[in-house]
Amino acid sequence: MKTYDYPNSRALFDRAAQVIPSGIYGHLGPAEGCFIPVSAYPFYIDHAQGAYFWDVDGNRFIDYMCAYGPIVLGYNHPAVDRAAREQLEKVNCGVLPGEIMVKLAEKLVSMIHSADWAFFAKNGGDVTNLAMLAARAHTRRKKIIKFAGGYHGVAQWMQFVGNAGIIDEDVSNIITLPFNDAEAVSAAFKRYPGQIAGIIATPYHHPAMADNALPLPGFWTEVRKLCTQEGAVLIVDDVRAGFRLDLHGSDHHYGFEADLICYCKALGNGYNISALCGKNTLKEAVSSVFYTGSYWLSAMPMAAALATLEELEKVDGAKLMTSLGKQLTQGLEEAAQEYGFHLLVTGEPAMWNMRLTDDDSGVLHQQWVSECVRRGVFFTSHHNLFINTALTQEDIKYTLDVARDAFCALKATRERSKA
Ligand SMILES: Cc1ncc(COP(=O)(O)O)c(C=O)c1O
């Protein structure tokens, strides 16, 4: 199979490094995105369609990162883009909100089992932060429990001492516990009686740089029970998993009810919108928080979000992505076995995580992933991957062919280095 080179991406990055901090900062950059080895990756996209994107060197990729989650129906989905365009022609960023805001809130309330209302913003971090503020406002308590490795955004309280610019006081009221450990949650409530405002957690554990973990039987029931008993707010951060596991909410998927639930990535199929949904008991607390942004009430992303939700319902999106994910991951595990490797798949099929277990360092996995990327299958090594509904049987077949070719190259390199 032909492998890709990236001269235009590299030239553009050199220009960027002169005028942009880090060249590309944040999760799409080679550093924080962990593009290892960097030489295997393109840095700049030119255009995209359906399940594919093309880089600035004209290379085509099947995109299994889906812009790190937002692209849930495939790029340039016609119904979503049409709704956005029609709204844009009427008004986008207006001096007043439009009816579309009410329609979208009504839609979310009708779909999400634990939602009585919806509040809109732009990024996932906007709404996880609002959830924390609302929990504190509602309970008049300071402390928040989160789980080690869980990512909720970049506000100070979600970061770590040692990160540039973060001070002890930013995180002094954050209690970090191991995921799936209901006893540790119970012990924390005993240690800090009447002081814990809430618990924030992803519906299952999908940290970067580690195997993912589904909730153990009974974990969520126990955490829900403890929160109710202790008067603390249960916040589900569904920013990444939202609409990929269950259109009624990932809490519903695992058989419990959150008090607050945070959405972002898949909500607008790439249009910039996030939402905090929640129970009536928290509505007043959310209203009381001072919280807004210049573009949070813009109408175009709301129209795109409404069309995205309608389309997800039409194609039974969560079920479809789960079944495509199962098929793909099973094929990848079998391909690894054919070449004498072992691929460990964890997490949920629509958002799986994978790791070759044949060395402890992770380098072998990085090498295999880089061989896939150079052949047009865009994986990253240390983050969960994403399925979108535009993925076809042909794409899955192509991906498995690439995976086999990459394993073959990996085996040859391994044998050469042993000789
Ligand atoms: C689970 C989770 N919560 C919150 C966030 C923060 O979202 P954003 O980057 O849109 O602020 C992310 C982003 O990756 C996420 O995956």
Side-chain angles (χ1 to χ4, degrees):
M1 262 180 193
K2 177 180 168 293
T3 56
Y4 294 166
D5 291 316
Y6 311 110
N8 293 340
S9 265
R10 296 302 177 267
L12 205 47
F13 188 79
D14 288 346
R15 277 170 56 199
Q18 303 299 315
V19 291
I20 298 171
S22 308
I24 309 169
Y25 47 80
H27 61 298
L28 301 187
E32 278 169 48
C34 281
F35 292 177
I36 310 170
V38 166
S39 58
Y41 284 87
F43 293 164
Y44 290 93
I45 193 166
D46 183 73
H47 63 284
Q49 182 60 47
Y52 316 117
F53 79 88
W54 285 259
D55 71 5
V56 288
D57 288 282
N59 302 309
R60 189 197 83 160
F61 297 85
I62 300 181
D63 187 359
Y64 287 106
M65 290 308 291
C66 298
Y68 279 73
I71 304 304
V72 68
L73 296 172
Y75 289 98
N76 307 339
H77 188 277
V80 176
D81 288 359
R82 190 179 326 113
R85 259 195 320 273
E86 282 171 11
Q87 182 60 53
L88 183 62
E89 279 164 20
K90 289 169 76 183
V91 63
N92 178 30
C93 184
V95 68
L96 300 172
E99 186 190 2
I100 188 69
M101 182 169 175
V102 184
K103 282 187 175 167
L104 180 58
E106 286 168 346
K107 182 73 188 168
L108 282 167
V109 167
S110 74
M111 275 177 87
I112 308 298
H113 280 209
S114 52
D116 293 323
W117 49 264
F119 179 114
F120 301 105
K122 288 287 127 200
N123 291 301
D126 298 335
V127 290
T128 52
N129 194 49
L130 174 60
M132 178 278 290
L133 293 171
R136 285 182 173 162
H138 180 69
T139 58
R140 301 188 182 277
R141 300 174 185 171
K142 289 185 182 175
K143 296 197 185 294
I144 300 284
I145 293 177
K146 70 176 173 97
F147 293 101
Y151 179 70
H152 305 296
V154 292
Q156 285 92 323
W157 65 276
M158 305 167 195
Q159 295 211 29
F160 302 94
V161 175
N163 286 4
I166 300 302
I167 57 174
D168 294 352
E169 289 82 347
D170 289 329
V171 293
S172 58
N173 283 300
I174 303 301
I175 302 163
T176 305
L177 303 176
F179 188 79
N180 264 337
D181 191 343
E183 274 182 27
V185 176
S186 169
F189 276 116
K190 286 199 185 96
R191 185 160 176 212
Y192 301 104
Q195 295 173 60
I196 296 172
I199 299 183
I200 185 164
T202 55
Y204 75 96
H205 201 40
H206 49 66
M209 304 278 185
D211 298 339
N212 290 187
L214 302 186
L216 289 174
F219 171 69
W220 277 123
T221 313
E222 188 57 25
V223 170
R224 175 67 272 177
K225 195 176 95 193
L226 286 165
C227 284
T228 306
Q229 207 172 285
E230 302 290 335
V233 177
L234 181 52
I235 305 162
V236 167
D237 177 353
D238 220 1
V239 164
R240 201 183 306 173
F243 307 111
R244 276 193 165 84
L245 312 190
D246 192 323
L247 299 186
H248 304 305
S250 298
D251 53 347
H252 177 258
H253 184 71
Y254 292 122
F256 71 104
E257 282 204 0
D259 295 313
L260 294 173
I261 183 158
C262 310
Y263 288 103
C264 177
K265 290 186 183 275
L267 177 55
N269 200 46
Y271 288 85
N272 49 349
I273 185 160
S274 60
L276 180 68
C277 295
K279 296 256 174 223
N280 272 333
T281 42
L282 271 299
K283 199 171 169 194
E284 212 175 293
V286 169
S287 302
S288 74
V289 171
F290 178 59
Y291 214 58
T292 189
S294 295
Y295 297 100
W296 287 7
L297 278 64
S298 295
M300 187 176 77
M302 292 181 182
L306 185 58
T308 301
L309 296 175
E310 284 168 353
E311 193 62 24
L312 280 169
E313 279 183 331
K314 201 161 103 192
V315 300
D316 204 350
K319 218 181 197 168
L320 174 60
M321 285 181 277
T322 298
S323 118
L324 291 168
K326 275 187 188 156
Q327 191 190 345
L328 178 69
T329 52
Q330 200 177 331
L332 290 171
E333 285 169 321
E334 285 166 8
Q337 272 167 21
E338 276 171 41
Y339 288 87
F341 296 103
H342 302 89
L343 189 72
L344 175 68
V345 173
T346 55
E348 289 281 358
M351 248 179 67
W352 83 104
N353 195 76
M354 61 183 172
R355 173 173 68 88
L356 282 175
T357 56
D358 303 280
D359 79 342
D360 291 335
S361 68
V363 170
L364 192 75
H365 183 67
Q366 291 169 356
Q367 285 170 344
W368 173 66
V369 165
S370 74
E371 296 288 356
C372 291
V373 174
R374 281 194 171 287
R375 288 161 174 78
V377 167
F378 196 87
F379 290 148
T380 57
S381 302
H382 303 293
H383 192 282
N384 70 268
L385 294 306
F386 296 90
I387 299 285
N388 69 73
T389 64
L391 196 71
T392 63
Q393 289 300 315
E394 211 177 298
D395 296 330
I396 291 181
K397 186 183 171 305
Y398 185 79
T399 303
L400 296 178
D401 288 346
V402 163
R404 280 195 196 88
D405 209 48
F407 279 126
C408 185
L410 197 61
K411 200 171 170 190
T413 312
R414 239 189 171 189
E415 277 162 10
R416 265 200 310 277
S417 69
K418 276 189 202 152

